[in-house]
Amino acid sequence: MSDVSGFSLNGFSLNQATIKYATLDQAVAATVDAGIPSIGLWREPVAEFGLAASAALVGSAGLRVSSLCRGGFLTTPDRRAALDDNRRAIDEAATLGAPTLVLVVGGLPEGSRDLIGARERVRDAIGELAADATAAGISLAIEALHPMYVTDRAVISTLGQAIDIAEQFDARAVGVVVDTFHVFWDPGVLESIARAGAQGRIASYQVCDWITPIAADPLLSRGYPGDGLIDFGPITRAVVAAGYRGDIECEIFNQTVWDAPFDEVARQSRARFESVIEPHL
Amino acid sequence: MSDVSGFSLNGFSLNQATIKYATLDQAVAATVDAGIPSIGLWREPVAEFGLAASAALVGSAGLRVSSLCRGGFLTTPDRRAALDDNRRAIDEAATLGAPTLVLVVGGLPEGSRDLIGARERVRDAIGELAADATAAGISLAIEALHPMYVTDRAVISTLGQAIDIAEQFDARAVGVVVDTFHVFWDPGVLESIARAGAQGRIASYQVCDWITPIAADPLLSRGYPGDGLIDFGPITRAVVAAGYRGDIECEIFNQTVWDAPFDEVARQSRARFESVIEPHL
């Protein structure tokens, strides 16, 4: 969908994790060949290809960069190293022209059962990073992860919790991610989306489906929109009604998808965006 | 712990699912031999042993029955059959002297993605069953299940949601279960426990631990209190502060536990209750 100026609204973006085994240049090629205007990048393949070279390649390919994944892991006892690494990630996002750095905040530190303390550390660390984000013109996007990852990946489990932290800071510096896989189960999700939108804090909208039975590796239980049990209509309409105008990323962790040819995955992702998501924009 | 009259407060109960492969008489024997005063029964082994015979055996063994598991599965299209089955379960609970029938409310019906509609069906069905529960002197206990089971087991994922439904009915007829495995991740869990307690609606407190990495069958990722990542102190103190005086069940779904000798599991469950839970009572 485009507005009258031709500026893209809620365009489609392929998150690079969906074609996990592609090098950066392969990912850019698959994205361009599938007619997709935007890409969500990951730090590791960017580093392998080189930061400056990645920025140049994406730019010459005419792609927008919808986000950089990922910063975060702020609950570690080695706080200084975590902050330093996140500052590097902020700089990388700026170099790549990504408006948003996605934060997976981290789980419980080894040997700890203290969720409340870990959540406080996340809040404090984001407080230290907010000024760096502002200076770089980057939005830190707190991603609530599904509660099944609460101990090992993210002690922030709901969109409401993410907003509770984000709203303590400038809305341009700290926002939230809405990822269907992680939040669809939440009885308060539509209200939380509206709340985030009213504050101008929806920094990223990511779509993928919830597949059951849950995969043996529960990280990989995601699928193309339409293959699982998520009703994308209400969430997508709520995100748009809340004022989100950025690109919409398809981010799938799924071994079968990862094992398929990159160009096939890119085309299928775009097709599903058009058939499952776009009707609600 | 006992009050001055000698009436047991927050005693320990072995939920029969922890020794899943035991017949009812084997479960009763293991419970008695371990010096455990209370048992949580399941309908299937009760039916196999015979309802009247089960009631007689438990009574002659001097055991309290802390709950009967389980009713629910109220989201099925065959509403009439579901209601009939739950009415039978209410009668069974009354015959067994169980104060509480635990409800696992059900997931999405086959082919549906409508969580909101499924939740409305749960509410309506509980409304139809409340009078039966009152007549039988049984409390229906809505169990919020971890959000990873939202599509296939229970569309009620948080204690707050369970209370939202329960509070529409008489507190003696409809209460909630607090199960540590299912609710520990919830940033609002302590407030929800207090809210349930203020309404007199905590009908059951079940303890088991959260083990990572999540088991390949995610139903089985539970462990003895102390073996995982749950901090039992705050939740247990909140349940007691909220006025819960019933028995505390240990309910573990774990293949290794199921494969161990019943008497060993009963003794270990009691030992963990005494070392991990009781200090907070």
Side-chain angles (χ1 to χ4, degrees), chain A residues 229-265:
Chain A
L229 293 169
I230 294 177
D231 185 1
F232 287 92
I235 294 177
T236 300
R237 290 191 296 270
V239 167
V240 173
Y244 181 69
R245 297 292 177 263
D247 291 324
I248 297 173
E249 291 185 8
C250 180
E251 184 194 50
I252 303 174
F253 297 179
N254 177 305
Q255 195 61 55
T256 306
V257 173
W258 286 345
D259 290 339
F262 308 140
D263 58 346
E264 181 186 310
V265 174

Side-chain angles (χ1 to χ4, degrees), chain A residues 175-178 192-194 196-197 199-205 238-239 242-244:
Chain A
V176 298
V177 180
V178 178
S192 290
I193 290 169
Q199 299 181 12
R201 288 189 199 273
I202 302 180
S204 175
Y205 179 39
V239 167
Y244 181 69

Side-chain angles (χ1 to χ4, degrees), chain A residues 268-281:
Chain A
Q268 181 69 277
S269 298
R270 179 182 166 180
R272 292 304 180 91
F273 176 77
E274 292 174 352
S275 62
V276 179
I277 307 298
E278 213 166 48
H280 305 290
L281 298 179

Side-chain angles (χ1 to χ4, degrees), chain A residues 6-44:
Chain A
F7 184 78
S8 176
L9 297 177
N10 299 139
F12 180 55
S13 175
L14 183 66
N15 185 288
Q16 195 171 0
T18 306
I19 45 173
K20 179 186 172 80
Y21 303 136
T23 58
L24 188 104
D25 51 334
Q26 290 172 326
V28 166
T31 304
V32 169
D33 289 350
I36 298 170
S38 181
I39 189 167
L41 297 175
W42 278 63
R43 294 180 72 196
E44 295 78 2

Side-chain angles (χ1 to χ4, degrees), chain B residues 198-278:
Chain B
Q199 299 181 12
R201 287 189 199 274
I202 303 179
S204 176
Y205 179 40
Q206 297 183 331
V207 293
C208 75
D209 217 332
W210 172 266
I211 306 292
T212 55
I214 295 172
D217 178 345
L219 277 177
L220 308 187
S221 205
R222 308 191 192 192
Y224 290 113
D227 281 353
L229 293 168
I230 295 178
D231 185 0
F232 288 92
I235 295 177
T236 300
R237 290 191 297 268
V239 167
V240 173
Y244 181 69
R245 297 291 176 265
D247 290 325
I248 298 173
E249 291 186 7
C250 179
E251 185 194 50
I252 303 174
F253 297 180
N254 177 306
Q255 196 61 55
T256 305
V257 172
W258 286 346
D259 290 339
F262 308 140
D263 57 347
E264 182 186 310
V265 173
R267 282 196 305 268
Q268 181 69 279
S269 298
R270 179 182 166 181
R272 292 304 180 91
F273 175 77
E274 291 175 351
S275 62
V276 178
I277 307 299
E278 213 166 48

